[in-house]
Amino acid sequence: MQQLVLGQSLNDMDLIYIGQIAAALVAILTLLGMLVKWVIVKPIKAYIDTMTYAIQPHANGGKSLPDLIEKVDALHLVVQQHLTTSHDTPNYSKCLCESCLTC
């Protein structure tokens, strides 16, 4: 192959050769990407899925942790309302919840 010098034009064969090299590099990089996906990413995903499976998926009716947080917040509101209306228990002014409207 001729060496390219500034100011010298490329002929058709040089352009075809450069295109073939570029296509070969794209093919090699694509294969490497597929190899990384199948050899590294897929086993890691399978490991994460194995480690984070639901221990008892039907015990909570299929509900997840955010559902539990909503229930606890609702229970907190009920308890706060109960304390303010039914008991003379002191209501602490410093509440840690963000959803409570009465604190």
Coordinates of all heavy atoms in Angstrom, one line a residue:
M1 N 0.8 -1.2 0.0 CA 0.0 0.0 0.0 C 0.9 1.2 0.0 O 1.9 1.3 0.7 CB -0.9 0.0 1.2 CG -1.9 1.2 1.3 SD -3.0 1.0 2.7 CE -3.1 2.7 3.0
Q2 N 0.5 2.2 -0.7 CA 1.2 3.5 -0.8 C 1.0 4.2 0.5 O 0.0 4.2 1.1 CB 0.7 4.3 -1.9 CG 1.1 3.9 -3.3 CD 0.5 4.8 -4.4 OE1 -0.5 5.5 -4.1 NE2 1.2 5.0 -5.5
Q3 N 2.1 4.9 0.9 CA 1.9 5.8 2.0 C 1.2 7.1 1.6 O 1.5 7.6 0.5 CB 3.3 6.1 2.6 CG 4.0 4.9 3.3 CD 5.3 5.3 3.9 OE1 5.7 6.4 3.7 NE2 5.8 4.4 4.6
L4 N 0.3 7.5 2.4 CA -0.4 8.7 2.1 C 0.4 9.9 2.6 O 0.9 10.0 3.7 CB -1.8 8.7 2.8 CG -2.7 7.6 2.4 CD1 -4.0 7.7 3.2 CD2 -3.0 7.8 0.9
V5 N 0.6 10.9 1.7 CA 1.3 12.1 2.0 C 0.3 13.2 1.8 O -0.6 13.1 1.0 CB 2.5 12.3 1.0 CG1 3.2 13.5 1.3 CG2 3.4 11.1 1.0
L6 N 0.4 14.2 2.6 CA -0.5 15.4 2.5 C -0.5 15.9 1.1 O 0.6 16.1 0.5 CB -0.1 16.4 3.5 CG -0.4 16.1 5.0 CD1 0.1 17.3 5.9 CD2 -1.9 15.9 5.2
G7 N -1.6 16.2 0.6 CA -1.8 16.7 -0.7 C -1.9 15.7 -1.8 O -2.1 16.0 -2.9
Q8 N -1.7 14.4 -1.4 CA -1.8 13.3 -2.4 C -3.2 12.8 -2.4 O -3.8 12.6 -1.3 CB -0.8 12.3 -2.1 CG -0.7 11.2 -3.2 CD 0.4 10.1 -2.8 OE1 0.5 9.9 -1.6 NE2 1.0 9.5 -3.8
S9 N -3.8 12.5 -3.5 CA -5.2 12.1 -3.5 C -5.3 10.5 -3.4 O -4.3 9.9 -3.7 CB -5.9 12.5 -4.8 OG -5.3 11.9 -5.9
L10 N -6.4 10.1 -2.9 CA -6.6 8.6 -2.8 C -7.2 8.1 -4.0 O -8.1 8.7 -4.6 CB -7.5 8.3 -1.6 CG -7.1 8.7 -0.2 CD1 -8.2 8.5 0.8 CD2 -5.9 7.8 0.2
N11 N -6.8 6.9 -4.5 CA -7.4 6.3 -5.6 C -8.5 5.4 -5.1 O -8.7 5.2 -3.9 CB -6.4 5.6 -6.5 CG -5.7 4.5 -5.8 OD1 -6.1 4.0 -4.8 ND2 -4.5 4.1 -6.4
D12 N -9.2 4.8 -6.0 CA -10.4 4.0 -5.7 C -10.0 2.8 -4.9 O -10.7 2.3 -3.9 CB -11.1 3.5 -6.9 CG -11.9 4.7 -7.6 OD1 -12.1 5.7 -6.9 OD2 -12.2 4.6 -8.8
M13 N -8.9 2.1 -5.2 CA -8.4 0.9 -4.5 C -8.1 1.3 -3.0 O -8.3 0.5 -2.1 CB -7.2 0.3 -5.2 CG -7.6 -0.3 -6.6 SD -8.9 -1.5 -6.5 CE -8.1 -2.9 -5.7
D14 N -7.5 2.4 -2.8 CA -7.2 2.8 -1.4 C -8.4 3.0 -0.6 O -8.5 2.6 0.6 CB -6.3 4.1 -1.4 CG -4.9 3.9 -1.9 OD1 -4.4 2.7 -1.9 OD2 -4.3 4.9 -2.3
L15 N -9.4 3.6 -1.2 CA -10.7 3.8 -0.5 C -11.4 2.5 -0.2 O -11.9 2.3 0.9 CB -11.6 4.7 -1.3 CG -11.3 6.2 -1.4 CD1 -12.2 6.9 -2.3 CD2 -11.3 6.8 0.0
I16 N -11.3 1.6 -1.1 CA -11.9 0.2 -0.9 C -11.2 -0.5 0.3 O -11.8 -1.1 1.1 CB -11.9 -0.6 -2.2 CG1 -12.9 0.0 -3.2 CG2 -12.3 -2.1 -1.9 CD1 -12.8 -0.6 -4.5
Y17 N -9.8 -0.4 0.3 CA -9.0 -1.0 1.3 C -9.3 -0.4 2.7 O -9.5 -1.1 3.6 CB -7.6 -0.9 0.9 CG -6.6 -1.6 1.9 CD1 -6.6 -3.0 1.9 CD2 -5.8 -0.9 2.8 CE1 -5.7 -3.6 2.8 CE2 -5.0 -1.5 3.6 CZ -4.9 -2.9 3.6 OH -4.1 -3.5 4.5
I18 N -9.4 0.9 2.7 CA -9.7 1.6 4.0 C -11.1 1.2 4.5 O -11.4 0.9 5.7 CB -9.6 3.1 3.9 CG1 -8.1 3.4 3.7 CG2 -10.1 3.8 5.1 CD1 -7.8 4.9 3.3
G19 N -12.1 1.1 3.6 CA -13.4 0.6 3.9 C -13.5 -0.8 4.4 O -14.2 -1.1 5.4
Q20 N -12.6 -1.7 3.8 CA -12.6 -3.0 4.3 C -12.0 -3.1 5.7 O -12.5 -3.9 6.6 CB -11.7 -3.9 3.4 CG -12.4 -4.1 2.0 CD -11.5 -4.8 1.0 OE1 -10.3 -4.9 1.2 NE2 -12.0 -5.4 0.0
I21 N -11.0 -2.3 6.0 CA -10.4 -2.3 7.3 C -11.4 -1.8 8.3 O -11.6 -2.3 9.4 CB -9.1 -1.4 7.3 CG1 -8.0 -2.1 6.5 CG2 -8.7 -1.2 8.8 CD1 -6.8 -1.3 6.4
A22 N -12.1 -0.7 8.0 CA -13.2 -0.2 8.9 C -14.3 -1.2 9.1 O -14.7 -1.4 10.3 CB -13.7 1.1 8.3
A23 N -14.7 -1.9 8.1 CA -15.7 -2.9 8.3 C -15.2 -4.1 9.2 O -16.0 -4.6 10.0 CB -16.2 -3.5 6.9
A24 N -14.0 -4.5 9.0 CA -13.4 -5.5 9.8 C -13.3 -5.1 11.2 O -13.7 -5.9 12.2 CB -12.1 -5.9 9.3
L25 N -13.0 -3.9 11.5 CA -12.9 -3.4 12.9 C -14.3 -3.3 13.5 O -14.4 -3.6 14.7 CB -12.2 -2.0 12.9 CG -10.7 -2.0 12.7 CD1 -10.2 -0.5 12.6 CD2 -10.0 -2.7 13.8
V26 N -15.3 -2.9 12.8 CA -16.6 -2.8 13.3 C -17.1 -4.2 13.6 O -17.7 -4.5 14.7 CB -17.6 -2.1 12.3 CG1 -19.0 -2.3 12.7 CG2 -17.3 -0.6 12.2
A27 N -16.8 -5.2 12.7 CA -17.2 -6.6 13.0 C -16.5 -7.1 14.2 O -17.2 -7.8 15.1 CB -16.9 -7.4 11.8
I28 N -15.2 -6.9 14.4 CA -14.5 -7.4 15.5 C -15.0 -6.7 16.8 O -15.2 -7.4 17.8 CB -13.0 -7.1 15.4 CG1 -12.4 -8.0 14.3 CG2 -12.2 -7.3 16.7 CD1 -11.0 -7.7 13.9
L29 N -15.3 -5.4 16.8 CA -15.8 -4.7 18.0 C -17.2 -5.2 18.3 O -17.6 -5.4 19.5 CB -15.8 -3.2 17.8 CG -14.4 -2.6 17.8 CD1 -14.6 -1.1 17.4 CD2 -13.7 -2.8 19.1
T30 N -18.0 -5.5 17.3 CA -19.4 -6.1 17.6 C -19.3 -7.5 18.2 O -20.0 -7.8 19.2 CB -20.1 -6.2 16.3 OG1 -20.2 -4.9 15.7 CG2 -21.5 -6.8 16.5
L31 N -18.4 -8.3 17.7 CA -18.2 -9.6 18.3 C -17.7 -9.5 19.8 O -18.1 -10.2 20.7 CB -17.2 -10.4 17.5 CG -17.8 -10.9 16.2 CD1 -16.7 -11.6 15.4 CD2 -18.9 -11.9 16.4
L32 N -16.8 -8.6 20.0 CA -16.3 -8.4 21.4 C -17.4 -7.9 22.3 O -17.5 -8.3 23.5 CB -15.1 -7.4 21.4 CG -13.8 -7.9 20.9 CD1 -12.8 -6.7 20.8 CD2 -13.3 -9.0 21.7
G33 N -18.3 -7.0 21.8 CA -19.4 -6.6 22.6 C -20.3 -7.7 22.9 O -20.9 -7.8 24.0
M34 N -20.6 -8.5 21.9 CA -21.5 -9.7 22.2 C -20.8 -10.7 23.2 O -21.5 -11.2 24.0 CB -21.8 -10.4 20.9 CG -22.7 -9.6 19.9 SD -22.8 -10.4 18.3 CE -23.4 -12.0 18.6
L35 N -19.5 -10.8 23.1 CA -18.8 -11.7 24.0 C -18.9 -11.2 25.4 O -19.2 -11.9 26.4 CB -17.3 -11.8 23.6 CG -16.5 -12.7 24.4 CD1 -16.8 -14.2 24.2 CD2 -15.0 -12.5 24.1
V36 N -18.7 -9.9 25.6 CA -18.8 -9.3 26.9 C -20.2 -9.5 27.5 O -20.4 -9.8 28.6 CB -18.4 -7.8 26.9 CG1 -18.8 -7.0 28.1 CG2 -16.9 -7.6 26.7
K37 N -21.2 -9.3 26.6 CA -22.6 -9.4 27.1 C -22.9 -10.8 27.5 O -23.5 -11.0 28.6 CB -23.6 -9.0 26.0 CG -25.0 -9.1 26.4 CD -26.0 -8.8 25.3 CE -27.4 -9.0 25.8 NZ -28.4 -8.7 24.8
W38 N -22.5 -11.8 26.8 CA -22.8 -13.2 27.1 C -21.9 -13.8 28.2 O -22.3 -14.7 28.9 CB -22.8 -14.0 25.8 CG -24.0 -13.8 25.0 CD1 -24.0 -13.0 23.9 CD2 -25.3 -14.3 25.2 NE1 -25.3 -13.0 23.4 CE2 -26.1 -13.8 24.2 CE3 -25.8 -15.2 26.1 CZ2 -27.4 -14.1 24.1 CZ3 -27.1 -15.6 26.0 CH2 -27.9 -15.0 25.0
V39 N -20.7 -13.3 28.3 CA -19.7 -13.9 29.2 C -19.7 -13.2 30.5 O -19.5 -13.8 31.6 CB -18.3 -14.0 28.6 CG1 -17.3 -14.4 29.6 CG2 -18.3 -14.9 27.4
I40 N -19.9 -11.9 30.5 CA -19.9 -11.2 31.8 C -21.2 -10.7 32.3 O -21.6 -11.0 33.4 CB -18.9 -9.9 31.6 CG1 -17.5 -10.4 31.3 CG2 -18.9 -9.1 32.8 CD1 -16.5 -9.4 30.9
V41 N -22.0 -10.0 31.5 CA -23.2 -9.4 31.9 C -24.3 -10.4 32.2 O -25.0 -10.3 33.2 CB -23.7 -8.4 30.9 CG1 -25.1 -7.8 31.2 CG2 -22.7 -7.2 30.7
K42 N -24.5 -11.4 31.3 CA -25.5 -12.4 31.5 C -25.3 -13.2 32.8 O -26.3 -13.4 33.6 CB -25.6 -13.3 30.3 CG -26.9 -14.1 30.3 CD -27.2 -14.6 28.9 CE -28.4 -15.4 28.9 NZ -29.5 -14.8 28.2
P43 N -24.1 -13.7 33.1 CA -24.0 -14.4 34.4 C -24.2 -13.5 35.6 O -24.7 -14.0 36.6 CB -22.5 -14.9 34.4 CG -22.2 -15.0 33.0 CD -23.0 -13.9 32.3
I44 N -23.8 -12.3 35.5 CA -24.0 -11.3 36.7 C -25.5 -11.1 36.9 O -26.0 -11.1 38.0 CB -23.2 -10.0 36.4 CG1 -21.8 -10.3 36.6 CG2 -23.7 -9.0 37.4 CD1 -20.9 -9.1 36.2
K45 N -26.2 -10.9 35.8 CA -27.7 -10.8 35.9 C -28.4 -12.0 36.5 O -29.3 -11.9 37.3 CB -28.3 -10.5 34.5 CG -28.6 -9.1 34.2 CD -29.3 -8.9 32.9 CE -30.6 -8.2 33.0 NZ -31.2 -7.9 31.7
A46 N -27.9 -13.2 36.0 CA -28.5 -14.4 36.6 C -28.2 -14.5 38.1 O -29.0 -15.0 38.9 CB -27.9 -15.6 35.8
Y47 N -27.0 -14.1 38.5 CA -26.6 -14.2 39.9 C -27.5 -13.2 40.7 O -28.0 -13.6 41.8 CB -25.1 -13.8 40.1 CG -24.7 -13.8 41.5 CD1 -24.5 -15.0 42.2 CD2 -24.5 -12.6 42.1 CE1 -24.1 -14.9 43.5 CE2 -24.1 -12.5 43.4 CZ -23.9 -13.7 44.1 OH -23.5 -13.6 45.4
I48 N -27.7 -12.0 40.2 CA -28.5 -11.0 40.9 C -29.9 -11.6 41.0 O -30.6 -11.4 42.1 CB -28.4 -9.7 40.2 CG1 -27.1 -9.1 40.4 CG2 -29.5 -8.7 40.7 CD1 -26.8 -7.8 39.6
D49 N -30.5 -12.1 39.9 CA -31.8 -12.7 40.0 C -31.9 -13.8 41.0 O -33.0 -13.9 41.7 CB -32.3 -13.2 38.6 CG -32.5 -12.0 37.6 OD1 -32.7 -10.9 38.1 OD2 -32.5 -12.3 36.4
T50 N -30.9 -14.6 41.1 CA -30.9 -15.7 42.0 C -30.9 -15.2 43.5 O -31.6 -15.7 44.3 CB -29.7 -16.7 41.8 OG1 -29.8 -17.1 40.4 CG2 -29.7 -17.8 42.7
M51 N -30.1 -14.2 43.7 CA -29.9 -13.7 45.1 C -31.1 -12.8 45.5 O -31.3 -12.6 46.7 CB -28.6 -12.9 45.2 CG -27.4 -13.8 45.1 SD -27.5 -15.0 46.4 CE -26.4 -16.2 45.9
T52 N -31.9 -12.3 44.6 CA -32.9 -11.4 45.0 C -34.3 -12.0 44.7 O -35.3 -11.2 44.6 CB -32.8 -10.0 44.3 OG1 -32.8 -10.3 42.8 CG2 -31.5 -9.3 44.7
Y53 N -34.4 -13.3 44.6 CA -35.7 -13.9 44.3 C -36.6 -13.7 45.5 O -36.2 -13.6 46.7 CB -35.6 -15.4 43.9 CG -35.3 -16.3 45.1 CD1 -36.3 -17.0 45.7 CD2 -34.0 -16.4 45.6 CE1 -36.0 -17.8 46.8 CE2 -33.7 -17.3 46.6 CZ -34.7 -17.9 47.2 OH -34.4 -18.8 48.3
A54 N -37.9 -13.8 45.3 CA -38.9 -13.7 46.4 C -38.9 -15.0 47.2 O -39.1 -16.0 46.6 CB -40.2 -13.4 45.8
I55 N -38.7 -14.9 48.5 CA -38.6 -16.1 49.3 C -40.0 -16.7 49.4 O -40.2 -17.9 49.2 CB -38.1 -15.7 50.7 CG1 -36.6 -15.2 50.5 CG2 -38.1 -17.0 51.6 CD1 -36.0 -14.7 51.8
Q56 N -41.0 -15.9 49.7 CA -42.4 -16.4 49.7 C -43.2 -15.4 48.9 O -43.8 -14.5 49.4 CB -42.9 -16.4 51.1 CG -42.1 -17.4 52.0 CD -42.6 -17.4 53.4 OE1 -43.4 -16.5 53.8 NE2 -42.3 -18.4 54.2
P57 N -43.2 -15.6 47.5 CA -43.9 -14.6 46.7 C -45.4 -14.4 46.9 O -45.9 -13.4 46.6 CB -43.6 -15.1 45.3 CG -43.3 -16.6 45.4 CD -42.7 -16.7 46.8
H58 N -46.0 -15.4 47.5 CA -47.5 -15.4 47.6 C -47.9 -15.0 49.1 O -49.1 -15.0 49.4 CB -48.2 -16.6 47.2 CG -47.9 -16.9 45.7 ND1 -48.3 -16.2 44.7 CD2 -47.1 -17.9 45.2 CE1 -47.8 -16.7 43.5 NE2 -47.1 -17.7 43.8
A59 N -46.9 -14.9 50.0 CA -47.2 -14.6 51.4 C -47.8 -13.2 51.6 O -48.6 -13.0 52.5 CB -45.9 -14.8 52.2
N60 N -47.4 -12.3 50.8 CA -47.9 -10.9 50.9 C -48.9 -10.6 49.8 O -49.1 -9.4 49.5 CB -46.7 -10.0 50.9 CG -47.1 -8.6 51.4 OD1 -48.1 -8.4 52.0 ND2 -46.3 -7.6 51.0
G61 N -49.4 -11.6 49.2 CA -50.3 -11.3 48.1 C -49.6 -10.8 46.9 O -50.2 -10.1 46.1
G62 N -48.4 -11.0 46.7 CA -47.6 -10.6 45.6 C -47.2 -9.1 45.7 O -46.7 -8.5 44.8
K63 N -47.3 -8.5 46.9 CA -47.0 -7.1 47.1 C -45.5 -7.0 47.5 O -44.9 -7.9 48.0 CB -47.9 -6.5 48.2 CG -49.3 -6.5 47.8 CD -50.2 -5.8 48.8 CE -51.6 -5.8 48.3 NZ -52.5 -5.2 49.2
S64 N -45.0 -5.8 47.2 CA -43.6 -5.6 47.4 C -43.3 -4.7 48.6 O -44.2 -4.2 49.3 CB -43.0 -5.0 46.1 OG -43.6 -3.7 45.9
L65 N -42.1 -4.3 48.8 CA -41.7 -3.5 49.9 C -42.3 -2.1 49.8 O -42.7 -1.5 50.9 CB -40.2 -3.3 49.9 CG -39.6 -2.6 51.1 CD1 -40.0 -3.3 52.4 CD2 -38.1 -2.6 51.0
P66 N -42.5 -1.4 48.7 CA -43.1 -0.1 48.7 C -44.6 -0.2 49.1 O -45.1 0.7 49.7 CB -43.1 0.3 47.2 CG -41.9 -0.3 46.7 CD -41.8 -1.7 47.4
D67 N -45.2 -1.3 48.9 CA -46.6 -1.5 49.4 C -46.6 -1.5 51.0 O -47.5 -1.0 51.6 CB -47.2 -2.8 48.9 CG -47.4 -2.8 47.4 OD1 -47.6 -1.8 46.9 OD2 -47.2 -3.9 46.8
L68 N -45.5 -2.2 51.5 CA -45.4 -2.2 53.0 C -45.2 -0.8 53.5 O -45.8 -0.4 54.5 CB -44.2 -3.1 53.4 CG -43.9 -3.1 54.9 CD1 -45.0 -3.7 55.7 CD2 -42.6 -3.8 55.1
I69 N -44.4 0.0 52.8 CA -44.2 1.4 53.3 C -45.5 2.2 53.3 O -45.7 3.0 54.2 CB -43.1 2.1 52.4 CG1 -41.7 1.4 52.6 CG2 -43.0 3.5 52.7 CD1 -40.7 1.7 51.7
E70 N -46.3 2.0 52.3 CA -47.6 2.7 52.2 C -48.5 2.3 53.4 O -49.1 3.1 54.0 CB -48.3 2.5 50.9 CG -47.6 3.1 49.7 CD -48.2 2.7 48.4 OE1 -49.3 2.0 48.4 OE2 -47.7 3.1 47.3
K71 N -48.5 1.0 53.7 CA -49.3 0.5 54.8 C -48.8 1.1 56.1 O -49.6 1.5 57.0 CB -49.3 -1.0 54.8 CG -50.0 -1.7 53.7 CD -51.5 -1.5 53.9 CE -52.2 -2.3 52.9 NZ -53.6 -2.2 53.0
V72 N -47.5 1.1 56.3 CA -46.9 1.7 57.6 C -47.3 3.1 57.7 O -47.6 3.6 58.8 CB -45.4 1.4 57.6 CG1 -44.8 2.2 58.8 CG2 -45.1 -0.1 57.8
D73 N -47.2 3.9 56.6 CA -47.5 5.3 56.6 C -49.0 5.5 57.0 O -49.4 6.4 57.8 CB -47.2 6.0 55.3 CG -45.7 6.2 55.1 OD1 -45.0 6.1 56.2 OD2 -45.3 6.5 54.0
A74 N -49.8 4.7 56.4 CA -51.3 4.8 56.7 C -51.5 4.4 58.2 O -52.3 5.1 58.8 CB -52.1 3.8 55.8
L75 N -50.9 3.4 58.7 CA -51.0 3.0 60.0 C -50.5 4.1 61.0 O -51.1 4.4 62.0 CB -50.2 1.7 60.3 CG -50.3 1.2 61.8 CD1 -51.7 0.8 62.1 CD2 -49.4 0.0 61.9
H76 N -49.5 4.8 60.6 CA -48.9 5.9 61.4 C -50.0 7.0 61.5 O -50.2 7.6 62.5 CB -47.7 6.5 60.8 CG -47.1 7.7 61.4 ND1 -46.5 7.6 62.7 CD2 -47.2 9.0 61.1 CE1 -46.2 8.8 63.0 NE2 -46.5 9.7 62.1
L77 N -50.6 7.3 60.4 CA -51.7 8.4 60.4 C -52.8 8.0 61.3 O -53.4 8.8 62.0 CB -52.2 8.7 59.0 CG -51.2 9.3 58.1 CD1 -51.7 9.4 56.6 CD2 -50.8 10.7 58.6
V78 N -53.2 6.7 61.2 CA -54.3 6.2 62.1 C -53.9 6.3 63.6 O -54.7 6.8 64.4 CB -54.7 4.8 61.7 CG1 -55.6 4.2 62.8 CG2 -55.4 4.8 60.3
V79 N -52.7 5.9 63.9 CA -52.3 6.0 65.3 C -52.2 7.5 65.7 O -52.6 7.8 66.9 CB -50.9 5.3 65.4 CG1 -50.3 5.6 66.8 CG2 -51.1 3.8 65.2
Q80 N -51.7 8.4 64.9 CA -51.6 9.8 65.3 C -53.0 10.3 65.5 O -53.2 11.1 66.5 CB -50.9 10.6 64.2 CG -49.4 10.4 64.1 CD -48.7 10.8 65.4 OE1 -49.1 11.8 66.0 NE2 -47.7 10.1 65.8
Q81 N -54.0 10.0 64.7 CA -55.3 10.5 64.8 C -55.9 9.9 66.1 O -56.6 10.6 66.9 CB -56.2 10.1 63.6 CG -57.6 10.6 63.7 CD -58.4 10.1 62.5 OE1 -58.0 9.3 61.8 NE2 -59.6 10.7 62.4
H82 N -55.6 8.6 66.4 CA -56.2 8.0 67.6 C -55.6 8.7 68.8 O -56.3 8.9 69.8 CB -55.8 6.5 67.6 CG -56.3 5.8 68.8 ND1 -57.6 5.5 69.0 CD2 -55.6 5.3 69.8 CE1 -57.7 4.8 70.1 NE2 -56.5 4.7 70.7
L83 N -54.3 9.0 68.8 CA -53.7 9.6 70.0 C -54.2 11.0 70.2 O -54.3 11.4 71.4 CB -52.1 9.6 69.8 CG -51.4 8.3 69.9 CD1 -49.9 8.5 69.6 CD2 -51.6 7.7 71.3
T84 N -54.5 11.7 69.2 CA -55.0 13.1 69.4 C -56.4 13.2 69.8 O -56.8 14.1 70.4 CB -54.8 13.9 68.1 OG1 -55.4 13.3 67.0 CG2 -53.3 14.1 67.8
T85 N -57.2 12.2 69.4 CA -58.6 12.2 69.7 C -59.0 11.3 70.9 O -60.0 11.7 71.6 CB -59.5 11.8 68.5 OG1 -59.1 10.5 68.1 CG2 -59.2 12.7 67.4
S86 N -58.4 10.2 71.2 CA -58.9 9.3 72.2 C -58.1 9.2 73.5 O -58.6 8.8 74.5 CB -58.9 7.9 71.6 OG -59.7 7.9 70.4
H87 N -56.8 9.7 73.4 CA -56.0 9.5 74.6 C -55.4 10.9 75.0 O -55.3 11.8 74.2 CB -54.9 8.6 74.3 CG -55.3 7.2 74.1 ND1 -55.7 6.3 75.2 CD2 -55.5 6.4 73.0 CE1 -56.0 5.2 74.7 NE2 -55.9 5.2 73.4
D88 N -54.9 10.9 76.2 CA -54.2 12.1 76.6 C -52.7 11.8 76.6 O -51.9 12.4 77.4 CB -54.7 12.6 78.0 CG -54.5 11.5 79.1 OD1 -54.2 10.3 78.7 OD2 -54.8 11.8 80.2
T89 N -52.3 10.9 75.8 CA -50.9 10.6 75.7 C -50.2 11.7 75.0 O -50.7 12.3 74.1 CB -50.7 9.3 74.7 OG1 -51.5 8.3 75.3 CG2 -49.3 8.9 74.7
P90 N -49.0 12.1 75.5 CA -48.3 13.3 74.9 C -47.9 13.0 73.5 O -47.4 11.9 73.2 CB -47.1 13.5 75.8 CG -46.9 12.2 76.6 CD -48.3 11.6 76.7
N91 N -48.2 14.0 72.7 CA -47.8 13.9 71.3 C -46.5 14.6 71.1 O -46.4 15.8 71.3 CB -48.9 14.5 70.4 CG -48.7 14.2 68.9 OD1 -47.8 13.5 68.6 ND2 -49.6 14.7 68.1
Y92 N -45.5 13.8 70.7 CA -44.2 14.4 70.5 C -44.1 15.3 69.3 O -44.7 14.9 68.2 CB -43.1 13.3 70.4 CG -43.0 12.5 71.7 CD1 -43.5 11.3 71.8 CD2 -42.4 13.1 72.8 CE1 -43.4 10.6 73.0 CE2 -42.3 12.4 74.0 CZ -42.8 11.1 74.1 OH -42.7 10.4 75.2
S93 N -43.5 16.4 69.3 CA -43.6 17.4 68.2 C -42.6 17.0 67.1 O -42.7 17.4 66.0 CB -43.2 18.8 68.7 OG -41.9 18.8 69.3
K94 N -41.6 16.2 67.4 CA -40.6 15.8 66.4 C -41.1 14.4 65.8 O -40.9 13.4 66.5 CB -39.3 15.7 67.0 CG -38.2 15.5 66.0 CD -36.8 15.6 66.7 CE -35.8 15.6 65.6 NZ -34.4 15.7 66.1
C95 N -41.6 14.5 64.6 CA -42.1 13.3 64.0 C -41.1 12.9 62.9 O -40.6 13.8 62.2 CB -43.5 13.4 63.4 SG -44.1 12.0 62.7
L96 N -40.8 11.7 62.7 CA -39.8 11.3 61.7 C -40.4 11.0 60.3 O -39.7 10.8 59.3 CB -39.0 10.1 62.1 CG -38.2 10.3 63.4 CD1 -37.5 9.0 63.9 CD2 -37.2 11.4 63.3
C97 N -41.7 10.9 60.2 CA -42.3 10.5 58.9 C -42.5 11.8 58.1 O -42.6 12.9 58.5 CB -43.6 9.8 59.1 SG -44.9 10.9 59.6
E98 N -42.5 11.5 56.8 CA -42.7 12.6 55.8 C -44.2 12.7 55.3 O -44.6 13.7 54.8 CB -41.8 12.4 54.6 CG -40.4 12.5 55.0 CD -39.5 12.2 53.8 OE1 -40.0 11.9 52.7 OE2 -38.2 12.1 54.0
S99 N -44.9 11.7 55.6 CA -46.3 11.7 55.0 C -47.3 12.2 56.1 O -48.5 12.4 55.7 CB -46.7 10.3 54.6 OG -46.7 9.4 55.7
C100 N -46.9 12.4 57.3 CA -47.8 12.8 58.3 C -48.2 14.2 58.2 O -47.4 15.1 58.1 CB -47.2 12.5 59.7 SG -48.4 12.8 61.0
L101 N -49.5 14.5 58.2 CA -50.0 15.9 58.0 C -50.3 16.5 59.4 O -50.4 17.7 59.5 CB -51.2 16.0 57.1 CG -51.0 15.4 55.7 CD1 -52.4 15.4 55.0 CD2 -50.0 16.2 55.0
T102 N -50.3 15.7 60.4 CA -50.7 16.3 61.7 C -49.5 16.6 62.6 O -49.7 17.3 63.6 CB -51.6 15.2 62.4 OG1 -50.9 14.0 62.6 CG2 -52.9 15.0 61.7
C103 N -48.4 16.1 62.3 CA -47.2 16.3 63.1 C -46.6 17.7 62.9 O -46.5 18.2 61.8 CB -46.2 15.2 62.9 SG -46.8 13.6 63.4

